[in-house]
Amino acid sequence: MRRERWIQRYFLSHPEEFKGRVITFESRLELGKTTRIADVVVDASSTRPCYYEFKSVTNIPPHDFAQQFLKDLEIANDLSQIKWYFDGRKISTLNKELFLEELEKVEIKRELIEKWVGEAEKPSKESLLVFIEEHFDEIFKIK
């Protein structure tokens, strides 16, 4: 099933998640030098928009995962704003370690690390990866 059909099926089967909200498809988001095209943005004009990435793939993590996800971290201010949904008809599990391994391979800007880890922790790539690991199930879901 094509990704667009899967997104449509998800919207039709979960209307309560989107009721009364403004929905934008294939939205171009820009924050400084960062440009991200999100599959769906809900309540884009509010102070707390949600950015949805819908993946209908069998390869986990998906191609360009690290680059896409790091852009999501740059744009969002709270983890509840980032939602990655995977098509349950294509996969049955998400191996957290494979996602973290992809993030280990790329350079992550110090400003981004500090944004999410803060001053309380010693800001490092490792501390950011631990943070993501601890919150993995809040962001990445099979639907």
Side-chain angles (χ1 to χ4, degrees):
M1 180 180 291
R2 296 186 60 204
R3 184 176 64 99
E4 292 81 10
R5 286 189 190 161
W6 179 62
I7 293 172
Q8 181 182 35
R9 178 174 45 90
Y10 184 82
F11 270 75
L12 292 173
S13 62
H14 296 86
E16 70 288 347
E17 189 172 343
F18 306 99
K19 184 177 181 179
R21 300 181 79 188
V22 177
I23 301 164
T24 308
F25 294 91
E26 294 292 321
S27 186
R28 183 181 183 94
L29 309 165
E30 297 195 31
L31 180 68
K33 294 181 182 180
T34 300
T35 299
R36 171 80 162 98
I37 298 175
D39 289 336
V40 175
V41 178
V42 175
D43 295 337
S45 62
S46 76
T47 57
R48 299 192 40 79
C50 287
Y51 309 105
Y52 289 78
E53 187 66 27
F54 287 87
K55 297 293 186 184
S56 185
V57 296
T58 54
N59 295 332
I60 299 296
H63 178 70
D64 289 339
F65 155 73
Q67 293 80 6
Q68 286 182 325
F69 182 65
L70 292 175
K71 287 180 181 182
D72 288 349
L73 289 177
E74 281 190 58
I75 292 168
N77 293 313
D78 185 292
L79 287 182
S80 66
Q81 293 177 274
I82 305 171
K83 300 182 184 303
W84 280 57
Y85 289 172
F86 292 84
D87 189 344
R89 293 182 179 182
K90 299 247 178 145
I91 61 165
S92 58
T93 61
L94 294 173
N95 185 332
K96 185 186 312 186
E97 294 306 316
L98 293 176
F99 286 81
L100 294 171
E101 286 173 13
E102 287 301 306
L103 291 170
E104 285 176 9
K105 294 176 187 177
V106 298
E107 181 180 338
I108 302 175
K109 295 182 229 172
R110 181 144 188 88
E111 299 84 23
L112 188 60
I113 294 169
E114 290 173 353
K115 175 181 178 179
W116 291 98
V117 177
E119 299 290 326
E121 297 280 332
K122 183 177 180 183
S124 66
K125 185 176 186 176
E126 292 74 28
S127 61
L128 178 63
L129 294 177
V130 168
F131 175 79
I132 293 167
E133 180 178 16
E134 290 171 350
H135 297 280
F136 187 87
D137 295 334
E138 295 170 37
I139 303 165
F140 305 98
K141 299 180 186 297
I142 298 173
K143 296 285 188 171

